[in-house]
Amino acid sequence: MNVGEVAALAGVTVRTLHHYDRIGLLSPSGRTAAGYRRYSAADLDRLHQVLLYRELGFPLEEVATLLDDPSADPAEHLRRQHRLLRDRLERTRAMVAAVEKEMEARQMGISLTPQERFEVFGEHDPERYEAEVQERWGDTDAYRESSRRAAAYSKEDWVRIKGEGEDLTRRMAEALRAGVAPDSAQGMDLAEEARQQICRWFYDCPPQVHAALGRMYVEDERFTATYEKAAPGLAQWVSTAVQANAARQG
Amino acid sequence: MNVGEVAALAGVTVRTLHHYDRIGLLSPSGRTAAGYRRYSAADLDRLHQVLLYRELGFPLEEVATLLDDPSADPAEHLRRQHRLLRDRLERTRAMVAAVEKEMEARQMGISLTPQERFEVFGEHDPERYEAEVQERWGDTDAYRESSRRAAAYSKEDWVRIKGEGEDLTRRMAEALRAGVAPDSAQGMDLAEEARQQICRWFYDCPPQVHAALGRMYVEDERFTATYEKAAPGLAQWVSTAVQANAARQG
DNA sequence: TGCACAGCCTGACGCTGCGTCAGGGTCAAG
DNA sequence: CTTGACCCTGACGCAGCGTCAGGCTGTGCA
């Protein structure tokens, strides 16, 4: 793809891509004879990561070191991004609540103290902080340890993770064939097992989040196809089981 | 207050306050004989607004024009901030969902198309866009009309708004004294009326949001005091009614 | 075959929103 | 009256692009 196409796709300007090329953050993997930049699928992948980290407030140079770190596999980036995004969600929620409180206070003729007003973004140093926490944590042994363990996943444990997942899918398919109802206790137990697997290997996945994932299993045909390959009707079955399990816990 | 104190309170650096002074965005209302900046409560107020708008991605110059617009009363700023914050909340939620989808896809060995990956922040031009939409809308007649009407609140209708609020509070107090249960149909109807009032005059307030406000009525002593002044036990009564009403609708 | 027009290239300068010294007064405590 | 924390005003620097300028490329159509 040419710069213009990539820019349009990613929602950035051509100048931005030029800039990323110049500073070595994202250099297209090829050029035409005339010197035109040519971006490959892998380049798009990287651009995606760059934009996510940028949105999270990381300075570009740090983004480069993060993405070039050979000890960090893709899954680790996803986990980190997920964590930071959830932090931001929390913060935004707090700010919305603060504005609503202020409105309510106005209507009732109460005026809030300055401390109250500022506390929602006090200390935070808006976006920066998220990146800094990363940096700080990056220096502690504990984090490095856990991070290294995480990175080690894709080397040897990855097989085990995949195996566990496939094993569970197989047991679900068996249950389906045996006529087990997805919203029965047994069906929900299987769904719960799936949720726990995500928690253990990937990220903290509360029932509500899991329910959203469940919906995706029937809405996105590629996920559907993967389950249908194990057993016809399994996508719908799993989706229902997950929802029922979430409702049971909620 | 001195610069250092203000800076600590608001979570910004002294340099930032110097900068805001220099560009005329926020000049302290006084100076000591020695030239020290002295910030008043009104200055803190303004700083608060500045930081909110800044966080929302507005360039400082635009923040200045917004805050110096004489036809914009405080309530209008709150409504705008509220709207923009909710937009951001939505966007962040979408990004979290996208990362989760990507994780799930990885685990199942599916790979997403570039289009899919970028769509969450495609087009958006991260923060900037929020401000731009403002600008664009600011040019349409419809918006200017509604905006002017909104601004007119605090001039004459403000009395009516206050009146409506007090009237409702009085009727609630009467209900309480008459022994009406807060979670009875009558109690919930009163709560619903309160919610509608917020919708009409301030911002779109779905039942869930209203429930959160209800909790505040008993948690924040100043809100509690306002209600207790109308009738002892009213704060708890209103809170319960609001929650019941939200549950009824949810 | 040629040309018009969109798209690509490489400098180079500009702008915002501060961070970061430098060099020098101020004030409260001890 | 001194020490250390705090304040002042320049002045320069830096990230992350926006925005020309000046020139080559590629293609659809006459």
Side-chain angles (χ1 to χ4, degrees):
Chain A
M1 296 179 71
N2 281 348
V3 268
E5 301 170 315
V6 173
L9 176 62
V12 301
T13 69
V14 170
R15 179 63 174 89
T16 300
L17 294 176
H18 283 178
H19 185 58
Y20 291 172
D21 187 0
R22 178 87 59 106
I23 67 176
L25 175 55
L26 172 63
S27 299
S29 47
R31 295 266 186 150
T32 71
Y36 283 28
R37 274 166 255 257
R38 310 250 57 205
Y39 291 83
S40 69
D43 295 336
L44 288 185
D45 240 62
R46 185 171 171 107
L47 176 57
H48 181 224
Q49 300 291 338
V50 168
L51 294 184
L52 257 174
Y53 277 126
R54 183 187 73 169
E55 170 97 19
L56 284 167
F58 286 81
L60 297 185
E61 200 183 319
E62 212 167 317
V63 172
T65 68
L66 276 173
L67 294 182
D68 291 338
D69 178 4
S71 78
D73 71 317
E76 190 178 340
H77 291 304
L78 284 173
R79 272 194 305 275
R80 176 164 31 216
Q81 289 158 357
H82 189 260
R83 190 164 36 75
L84 294 174
L85 280 171
R86 290 190 75 94
D87 286 355
R88 168 180 292 193
L89 202 59
E90 247 350 277
R91 241 177 72 69
T92 308
R93 245 200 282 274
M95 294 187 61
V96 169
V99 169
E100 281 165 358
K101 182 170 182 175
E102 177 90 33
M103 288 173 134
E104 198 65 9
R106 279 203 148 268
Q107 197 185 8
M108 295 178 67
I110 300 170
S111 92
L112 305 176
T113 70
Q115 282 80 353
E116 265 174 307
R117 288 200 177 110
F118 285 115
E119 78 190 357
V120 60
F121 45 19
E123 287 290 307
H124 189 77
D125 205 348
E127 307 295 295
R128 211 56 166 227
Y129 187 64
E130 299 175 332
E132 279 186 0
V133 166
Q134 262 315 113
E135 274 308 334
R136 302 268 157 79
W137 276 64
D139 276 355
T140 73
D141 283 355
Y143 181 75
R144 220 189 311 243
E145 243 302 289
S146 93
S147 171
R148 208 172 294 283
R149 240 186 307 147
Y153 275 8
S154 47
K155 304 179 182 176
E156 42 180 349
D157 295 273
W158 186 246
V159 177
R160 188 141 62 105
I161 296 177
K162 271 233 148 176
E164 274 195 27
E166 281 162 12
D167 175 60
L168 183 55
T169 303
R170 203 166 30 70
R171 274 160 39 222
M172 283 173 162
E174 277 168 20
L176 165 62
R177 275 191 287 263
V180 173
D183 53 356
S184 67
Q186 197 185 333
M188 291 190 286
D189 285 349
L190 284 167
E192 174 63 15
E193 216 179 304
R195 191 177 73 79
Q196 304 261 2
Q197 233 176 64
I198 297 176
C199 291
R200 212 177 18 245
W201 298 113
F202 295 96
Y203 56 95
D204 179 52
C205 175
Q208 283 204 337
V209 170
H210 197 207
L213 282 179
R215 243 164 282 130
M216 202 177 62
Y217 294 155
V218 292
E219 281 166 7
D220 188 308
E221 51 180 13
R222 285 160 312 173
F223 288 94
T224 307
T226 305
Y227 277 123
E228 293 299 299
K229 213 157 38 177
L234 187 56
Q236 183 59 59
W237 192 92
V238 172
S239 177
T240 308
V242 164
Q243 315 266 11
N245 180 53
R248 167 172 72 167
Q249 306 206 0
Chain B
M1 296 179 71
N2 281 349
V3 267
E5 300 169 315
V6 173
L9 177 61
V12 300
T13 68
V14 170
R15 178 64 175 87
T16 300
L17 294 176
H18 283 179
H19 185 59
Y20 292 171
D21 188 0
R22 177 88 57 106
I23 67 176
L25 175 56
L26 172 63
S27 298
S29 48
R31 293 268 188 149
T32 70
Y36 283 28
R37 275 166 256 256
R38 310 250 57 201
Y39 290 84
S40 70
D43 295 336
L44 288 184
D45 241 60
R46 186 173 170 102
L47 176 56
H48 181 224
Q49 300 292 338
V50 168
L51 294 184
L52 256 173
Y53 277 126
R54 182 187 74 168
E55 170 96 19
L56 284 167
F58 286 81
L60 296 185
E61 200 182 321
E62 212 168 316
V63 172
T65 69
L66 277 173
L67 294 182
D68 292 338
D69 178 4
S71 78
D73 72 318
E76 191 180 338
H77 290 304
L78 285 173
R79 272 194 305 275
R80 180 169 20 223
Q81 288 157 357
H82 189 258
R83 190 164 37 74
L84 294 174
L85 280 171
R86 290 188 74 93
D87 287 355
R88 167 179 293 194
L89 202 58
E90 247 349 277
R91 241 176 71 67
T92 309
R93 244 199 284 274
M95 294 187 60
V96 169
V99 169
E100 280 164 0
K101 182 171 182 175
E102 176 91 31
M103 289 172 131
E104 197 67 7
R106 279 203 147 268
Q107 197 185 6
M108 294 177 67
I110 300 169
S111 94
L112 305 176
T113 71
Q115 281 82 351
E116 264 175 308
R117 289 210 263 253
F118 285 117
E119 78 190 356
V120 60
F121 48 18
E123 287 290 306
H124 188 79
D125 207 349
E127 309 294 296
R128 213 53 167 228
Y129 188 64
E130 298 176 333
E132 279 186 358
V133 166
Q134 263 315 110
E135 275 308 334
R136 302 269 159 79
W137 275 63
D139 277 355
T140 73
D141 284 356
Y143 181 76
R144 216 184 320 238
E145 243 303 290
S146 94
S147 171
R148 206 171 297 282
R149 242 186 305 148
Y153 276 6
S154 48
K155 303 179 181 177
E156 41 179 351
D157 295 272
W158 187 247
V159 177
R160 187 140 63 104
I161 297 177
K162 269 232 149 177
E164 274 196 26
E166 281 162 11
D167 176 59
L168 183 55
T169 303
R170 202 166 30 70
R171 277 163 36 224
M172 283 174 163
E174 277 167 22
L176 165 61
R177 274 191 288 261
V180 173
D183 53 356
S184 68
Q186 198 184 333
M188 289 190 286
D189 285 350
L190 284 167
E192 175 61 15
E193 217 179 302
R195 191 177 73 81
Q196 304 260 1
Q197 234 176 61
I198 297 177
C199 290
R200 211 173 24 245
W201 299 114
F202 295 96
Y203 56 95
D204 177 51
C205 176
Q208 282 203 338
V209 171
H210 198 205
L213 283 178
R215 244 164 280 131
M216 202 179 60
Y217 294 153
V218 293
E219 279 166 9
D220 188 308
E221 52 180 13
R222 284 159 315 170
F223 287 94
T224 308
T226 305
Y227 276 122
E228 294 298 299
K229 214 157 37 177
L234 188 56
Q236 183 59 59
W237 191 93
V238 172
S239 177
T240 307
V242 165
Q243 315 267 10
N245 180 52
R248 166 173 73 166
Q249 306 207 359

